[in-house]
Amino acid sequence: MIKLFVEDQALPIANETKRFFANGQYILIANIENQLYAVDDMCTHEDASLSLGALKELTISCPLHGSRFCLKSGVALDEPAELALNVYKIAKTNRGINVTSYEKPDR
């Protein structure tokens, strides 16, 4: 289970991403028009950090082979990736956000 607290000043600004380390893995937090999304940072096709990929609307693309993933559902939208990313819950606090309890996507 993932448990991560991120203070407001460390969060990504609008239309950017940042990666954070928690419980032995990297989590990508994306800010799309001031709505936050949290997913696994590593591409499910090959170990590449999605934080280095391109953010477009509600998708993040892998910098290696271009697979895109939906930030809302984690679903892989393009080959070569076929497996979905884990999606994490975000709860706002008065000082930042809590990222917890990954939800297994349909694979």
Side-chain angles (χ1 to χ4, degrees), residues 10-60:
L11 291 169
I13 62 173
N15 302 310
E16 291 198 3
T17 64
K18 282 190 179 180
R19 78 180 193 159
F20 298 88
F21 190 74
N23 303 94
Q25 69 184 73
Y26 286 101
I27 304 297
L28 175 81
I29 297 179
N31 182 339
I32 309 297
E33 297 179 11
N34 295 313
Q35 176 69 43
L36 297 174
Y37 300 90
V39 295
D40 288 335
D41 179 54
M42 296 308 263
C43 177
T44 58
H45 168 249
E46 200 161 312
D47 288 337
S49 173
L50 296 175
S51 67
L52 301 174
L55 185 63
K56 185 174 180 184
E57 297 172 356
L58 286 175
T59 65
I60 186 78

